């Protein structure tokens, strides 16, 4: 398949593009130009790589999950340990890249959106490191649910602004961040957290996250002398997944994306954008979207705050349509079971987001032959989720 | 009498070419019809009929709240367009522009959308999140159907102004300053320079929107552009009179008259 995308209009097949108010068009053109220049500048590329190595802790290990492999039978399971990256999730790869770009462009103010707070924390972290002013929009409801992350961001010197419109979650925080950017576009850089938004954001974030897949390829080559047979990752907006998948797109590697099926895709409480969504425009990009018949966006649901986004990165929409990546829904319950399994078998507590990928990968691993390998992007650590896991545990005990 | 096209109405108007925005369905469909009629009586030349949307990226708090109320009433793109024939029957003659975000249009299909605009006796469309690069096909199809797709320029448009102005139909919507819709106290010197610059590049009349809420705003723009677009200031009045507007009778008529005289005061300034 051809990887010459996005095209000049920012399209991945029919997906992507720039559906934004005119006020932002010039800023997007400027961003695109600066991004191209930056990647051609060895100083910039070196600084990005140096920061990831010396500050963020790259490369992250590729851990062989031996006990788990024996327990499940089937393919050998490898975990790409983004949970060991500074701040505890893959989000920092992208935040470092974009913040360095902002600095190179002479923008001293950063605005970002955050759902659970992981991207907000990553952004606040890199802003502290680079001396940039940082404002993070977060849904009022999410601020309540993720109080500790709010405090973490404040400790790092960021200002957390509650988004009080709509359902007061990630979708609305993103709306507010974009509205703020529209008003302050001349001196402010919008540091988006996933492979979503108008062109060139999906491409930019992908290129800052592909290091996950690039390293995985090299590390598995060292360990097994071959490519993996399959790779799996969870998909909300889809940045860790695209980071893992992109370097394997032209290889003979099966790719699996796990989206949040919440209480089940036959219910209304899910965030299974590809399985249940239809084509639409959200946050400047044409993609699959959970919406009603009049084109009004519906608030999604997942136990994991990082996956409950009503859209999905346009490149994923394209990879789903072309059949290159298989996307499947994973329920809250399945994710929690996978989380528990990994924690007990390997002593690794994954983020609930990553646990969705674990469930799907475990299922596939069991169907695969012994001697085959599957890599899973363990996108983040689960410390942030301990409270909600505890709540869920209590609830299910009461129901039993 | 045949209805004027957006092009004709915009060209014919003396300063200020006055274009109010009203949100369909806020607080209810029948009030929307009444409001449209009052706008024409007050002297408006064109009216923008806003379609409420769940995620209005270009709008400030006033229009966000207005859209939310309208959506709670069950308003949709289809239903909003169906209000226009009622307005016509009640005597509305000025051109109507359907103002909608792109996603509802995409769900309906652009061709079906334009057919319905025409069928429902509206005259133009304005899609704030469909910039120049993404709107070329729609602009052409609209024009073939005698409809105007209204283009926007913003203070950051810089080198884009010329190509956008060249393709503009009806009038050119000039965004006064950075930011979302809603009232601003005053406009900077830079804003006037920008608007003058747009005015000299444009072959069609230039109307300035975003933040116009007071007679002195309209006064100060005389000689700088051809007209103004007022949305949030009007819907704010609606919001202040919600309880009166939501019931029938004298109280409602008074509220409508009050909104009309506010609009008149802007036009006659």
């Amino acid at each position: 398949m051809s990887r010459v995308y996005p095209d000049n209009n920012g399209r991945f097949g029919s997906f992507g593009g720039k559906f934004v108010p005119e006020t932002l068009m010039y800023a997007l053109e400027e961003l695109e130009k600066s991004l191209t220049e930056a990647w051609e500048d060895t100083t910039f590329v070196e600084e990005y790589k140096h920061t990831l190595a010396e500050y963020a802790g790259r490369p992250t290990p590729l851990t062989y999950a031996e006990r788990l492999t024996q327990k499940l039978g089937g393919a050998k399971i490898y975990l790409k340990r983004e949970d060991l990256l500074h701040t505890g999730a893959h989000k920092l790869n992208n935040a470092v890249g974009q913040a360095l770009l902002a600095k190179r462009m002479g923008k001293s103010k950063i605005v970002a959106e955050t759902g659970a707070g992981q991207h907000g924390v990553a952004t606040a972290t890199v802003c502290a490191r680079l001396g940039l002013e940082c404002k993070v929009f977060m849904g009022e409801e999410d601020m309540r649910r993720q109080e500790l992350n709010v405090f973490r961001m404040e400790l790092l010197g960021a200002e957390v602004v509650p988004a009080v419109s709509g359902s007061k979650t990630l979708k609305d925080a993103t709306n507010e961040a974009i509205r703020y950017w529209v008003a302050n576009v001349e001196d402010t850089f919008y540091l988006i957290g996933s492979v979503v938004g108008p062109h060139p954001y999906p491409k930019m974030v992908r290129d800052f996250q592909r290091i996950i897949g690039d390293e995985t390829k090299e590390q598995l080559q060292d360990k097994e002398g071959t490519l993996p047979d399959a790779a799996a990752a969870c998909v909300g907006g889809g940045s860790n997944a695209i980071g893992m998948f992109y370097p394997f797109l032209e290889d003979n590697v099966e790719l699996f994306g796990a989206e949040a099926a919440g209480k089940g895709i036959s219910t209304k409480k899910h965030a299974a954008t590809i399985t249940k969504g239809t084509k639409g425009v959200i946050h400047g990009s044409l993609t699959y979207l959970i919406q009603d018949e009049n084109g009004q966006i519906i608030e999604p649901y997942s136990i994991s705050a990082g996956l409950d986004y009503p859209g999905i990165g346009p490149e994923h929409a394209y990879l789903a349509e072309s059949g290159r990546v298989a996307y499947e829904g994973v329920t809250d319950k399945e994710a929690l079971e996978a989380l528990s399994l990994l924690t007990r078998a390997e002593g690794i507590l994954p983020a609930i987001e990553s646990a969705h990928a674990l469930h799907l990968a475990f299922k596939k691993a069991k169907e695969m032959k012994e001697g085959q390998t599957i890599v899973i992007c363990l996108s983040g650590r689960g410390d942030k989720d301990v409270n909600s896991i505890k709540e869920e545990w209590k609830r299910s005990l009461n129901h039993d | 009498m045949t209805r004027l096209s957006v092009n004709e109405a915009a060209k014919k108007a003396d300063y200020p070419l006055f274009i109010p925005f009203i949100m369909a369905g806020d607080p209810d469909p029948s009030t929307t019809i009444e409001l449209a009629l009052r706008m024409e009586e007050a002297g408006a030349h064109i009216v923008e009929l806003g379609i409420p949307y769940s995620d209005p990226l270009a709008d400030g708090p006033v229009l966000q709240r207005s859209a939310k109320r309208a959506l709670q009433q069950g308003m949709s793109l289809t239903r909003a367009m169906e209000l226009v024939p009622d307005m016509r029957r009640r005597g509305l003659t000025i051109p109507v522009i359907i103002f909608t975000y792109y996603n509802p249009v995409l769900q309906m299909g652009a061709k079906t959308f334009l057919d319905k605009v025409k069928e429902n006796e509206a005259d133009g469309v304005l899609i704030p999140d469909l910039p120049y690069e993404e709107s070329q096909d729609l602009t052409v199809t609209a024009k073939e159907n005698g409809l105007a797709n209204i283009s926007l320029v913003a203070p950051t448009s810089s080198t884009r102004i010329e190509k956008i102005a060249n393709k503009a139909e009806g009038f050119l919507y000039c965004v006064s300053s950075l930011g979302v819709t809603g009232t601003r106290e005053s406009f900077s010197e830079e804003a006037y320079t920008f608007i003058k610059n747009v005015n000299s590049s444009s072959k069609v009349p230039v109307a300035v929107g975003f933040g116009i809420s007071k007679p002195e705003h309209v006064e100060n723009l005389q000689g700088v552009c051809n007209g103004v677009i007022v949305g949030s200031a009007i819907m704010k009045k609606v919001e202040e009179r919600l309880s009166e507007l939501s019931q029938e009778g004298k109280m409602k008529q008074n509220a409508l008259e009050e909104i009309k005289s506010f609009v008149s005061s802007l036009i006659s300034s």
Side-chain angles (χ1 to χ4, degrees):
Chain A
M1 70 182 285
S2 160
R3 274 203 289 159
V4 192
Y5 61 72
D7 66 15
N8 287 337
N9 298 316
R11 296 294 186 124
F12 301 86
S14 62
F15 301 100
K18 291 182 200 174
F19 297 90
V20 294
E22 171 61 25
T23 308
L24 293 180
M25 288 300 284
Y26 184 76
L28 293 174
E29 286 174 10
E30 187 192 20
L31 177 62
E32 197 178 346
K33 201 168 140 266
S34 308
L35 181 65
T36 310
E37 285 167 9
W39 278 119
E40 284 163 3
D41 174 1
T42 49
T43 320
F44 173 82
V45 177
E46 284 309 312
E47 197 178 0
Y48 167 65
K49 290 192 170 158
H50 181 82
T51 311
L52 288 184
E54 300 296 319
Y55 179 67
R58 297 213 76 90
T60 58
L62 184 70
T63 305
Y64 173 45
E66 192 177 1
R67 287 208 337 125
L68 193 65
T69 301
Q70 283 165 0
K71 202 165 181 163
L72 294 174
K76 287 176 97 170
I77 296 170
Y78 279 92
L79 304 168
K80 181 57 176 166
R81 301 293 304 280
E82 294 303 297
D83 60 319
L84 294 179
L85 196 67
H86 182 36
T87 72
H90 72 288
K91 292 290 185 190
L92 195 67
N93 299 325
N94 168 52
V96 164
Q98 287 195 55
L100 287 172
L101 180 64
K103 205 164 178 183
R104 193 178 186 275
M105 289 171 74
K107 310 248 175 182
S108 59
K109 294 180 183 170
I110 301 290
V111 62
E113 83 294 335
T114 197
Q118 292 307 107
H119 173 60
V121 168
T123 304
T125 299
V126 69
C127 285
R129 159 104 176 158
L130 296 176
L132 301 168
E133 206 178 303
C134 178
K135 197 187 280 281
V136 179
F137 283 89
M138 187 169 184
E140 203 175 37
E141 180 59 26
D142 287 338
M143 284 178 75
R144 195 185 56 74
R145 290 192 289 197
Q146 301 285 341
E147 216 182 317
L148 274 179
N149 269 344
V150 174
F151 185 61
R152 262 174 101 188
M153 287 183 267
E154 285 168 352
L155 261 182
L156 288 157
E159 182 195 352
V160 183
V161 188
V164 296
S165 60
S167 52
K168 307 181 172 91
T169 58
L170 176 59
K171 165 175 87 77
D172 311 288
T174 309
N175 287 342
E176 288 304 325
I178 294 175
R179 286 179 185 124
Y180 179 85
W181 191 37
V182 169
N184 298 279
V185 62
E186 286 166 320
D187 65 353
T188 303
F189 185 100
Y190 179 27
L191 206 158
I192 212 164
S194 192
V195 283
V196 300
H199 179 67
Y201 278 100
K203 173 190 180 337
M204 172 166 69
V205 177
R206 173 194 76 196
D207 292 344
F208 286 136
Q209 289 290 4
R210 65 170 291 172
I211 191 151
I212 300 174
D214 285 333
E215 282 178 10
T216 302
K217 209 171 192 175
E218 212 182 299
Q219 290 166 320
L220 199 77
Q221 190 67 39
D222 288 347
K223 291 177 201 293
E224 298 280 341
T226 177
L227 286 169
D229 296 285
C234 64
V235 187
S239 69
N240 89 84
I242 215 76
M244 176 56 95
F245 296 164
Y246 188 66
F248 291 114
L249 284 181
E250 286 178 73
D251 298 321
N252 186 19
V253 176
E254 274 196 283
L255 302 172
F256 300 105
E259 48 179 13
K263 307 273 187 202
I265 50 167
S266 54
T267 71
K268 281 187 175 172
K269 302 199 90 181
H270 64 77
T273 316
I274 285 179
T275 314
K276 300 286 279 186
T278 51
K279 282 187 188 183
V281 166
I282 183 170
H283 300 139
S285 185
L286 202 163
T287 184
Y288 287 114
L289 181 59
I290 303 175
Q291 58 185 326
D292 70 13
E293 68 281 8
N294 294 316
Q296 306 290 345
I297 298 172
I298 296 172
E299 190 59 28
Y301 163 83
S302 164
I303 186 175
S304 114
L307 301 183
D308 65 351
Y309 182 67
I312 188 163
E315 190 165 0
H316 285 292
Y318 174 69
L319 292 171
E321 195 185 59
S322 69
R324 177 63 189 92
V325 180
Y327 297 85
E328 287 181 34
V330 174
T331 63
D332 291 355
K333 192 164 169 281
E334 291 168 331
L336 285 171
E337 283 163 7
L339 176 143
S340 170
L341 188 56
L342 181 74
T343 310
R344 297 279 174 98
E346 299 289 346
I348 297 170
L349 173 61
I352 299 186
E353 288 79 2
S354 321
H356 288 71
L358 291 172
H359 171 82
L360 184 57
F362 294 170
K363 196 172 92 181
K364 300 294 171 190
K366 284 191 256 184
E367 294 164 4
M368 290 164 72
K369 288 200 271 303
E370 239 174 81
Q372 287 190 301
T373 53
I374 184 166
V375 293
I376 308 167
C377 185
L378 197 73
S379 56
R381 66 178 184 222
D383 308 46
K384 70 178 175 57
D385 297 319
V386 169
N387 262 332
S388 28
I389 298 167
K390 192 173 147 205
E391 292 294 307
E392 205 60 32
W393 231 261
K394 273 197 254 166
R395 209 169 305 154
S396 60
L397 282 179
N398 289 340
H399 282 272
D400 286 344
Chain B
M1 186 181 102
T2 52
R3 213 163 70 228
L4 294 181
S5 67
V6 179
N7 275 318
E8 292 160 342
K11 223 168 263 166
K12 224 180 105 187
D14 291 326
Y15 187 86
L17 159 63
F18 194 87
I19 308 165
F21 166 104
I22 54 174
M23 184 72 77
D26 180 22
D28 54 60
S30 70
T31 307
T32 303
I33 295 172
E34 294 282 346
L35 278 170
L37 295 167
R38 293 302 204 293
M39 294 299 138
E40 178 161 353
E41 287 168 26
H45 303 95
I46 297 167
V47 64
E48 277 182 17
L49 184 63
I51 311 301
Y53 184 52
S54 57
D55 294 79
L57 273 187
D59 287 313
V62 172
L63 293 187
Q64 287 175 39
R65 288 196 298 269
S66 173
K68 201 169 175 183
R69 287 191 297 270
L71 286 173
Q72 279 161 358
Q73 287 284 316
M75 188 45 66
S76 67
L77 177 56
T78 305
R79 288 188 62 194
M81 288 196 284
E82 287 166 2
L83 296 178
V84 185
D86 285 340
M87 294 173 184
R88 296 292 179 215
R89 262 196 300 283
R90 298 272 308 274
L92 188 83
T93 67
I94 57 176
V96 173
I97 289 171
I98 304 297
F99 176 109
T100 176
Y101 285 87
Y102 184 51
N103 197 44
V105 173
L106 189 66
Q107 300 319 305
M108 184 178 280
K111 179 75 178 63
T112 311
F113 168 63
L114 292 172
D115 286 347
K116 283 196 181 189
V117 171
K118 202 172 172 179
E119 210 176 283
N120 284 298
E121 302 169 70
D123 308 275
V125 300
L126 195 165
I127 308 175
D129 56 348
L130 198 66
Y132 179 82
E133 284 77 359
E134 302 284 0
S135 66
Q136 294 309 298
D137 293 351
L138 193 134
T139 304
V140 172
T141 317
K143 202 173 170 183
E144 285 166 4
N145 285 285
L147 303 169
N149 178 27
I150 304 303
S151 304
L152 291 96
V153 289
T156 46
S157 295
S158 108
T159 49
R160 301 167 50 81
I161 294 175
E162 206 178 312
K163 67 177 175 191
I164 296 170
N166 266 331
K167 288 272 175 83
E169 290 288 322
F171 61 90
L172 182 58
Y173 192 133
C174 179
V175 176
S176 68
S177 43
L178 297 178
V180 292
T181 57
T183 51
R184 289 152 175 74
E185 260 314 299
S186 60
F187 298 99
S188 66
E189 269 312 304
E190 287 151 357
Y192 288 104
T193 314
F194 156 67
I195 297 163
K196 272 184 204 155
N197 178 20
V198 171
N199 208 23
S200 63
S201 312
S202 183
K203 286 175 290 202
V204 293
V206 172
V208 173
F210 282 48
I212 312 286
S213 58
K214 300 174 184 175
E216 56 260 41
H217 293 155
V218 186
E219 249 168 67
N220 294 342
L221 284 167
Q222 182 151 19
V224 183
C225 61
N226 305 89
V228 293
I229 301 147
V230 181
S232 297
I234 294 170
M235 294 318 291
K236 191 154 189 286
K237 296 278 177 203
V238 169
E239 188 171 53
E240 285 163 6
R241 290 282 176 272
L242 275 184
S243 60
E244 292 94 325
L245 288 169
S246 300
Q247 46 197 285
E248 291 308 316
K250 197 163 184 307
M251 300 261 278
K252 176 169 185 157
Q253 293 308 315
N254 286 346
L256 287 167
E257 282 306 312
E258 201 182 295
I259 295 166
K260 176 181 158 186
S261 47
F262 168 66
V263 171
S264 301
S265 76
L266 292 175
I267 298 179
S268 60
S269 55

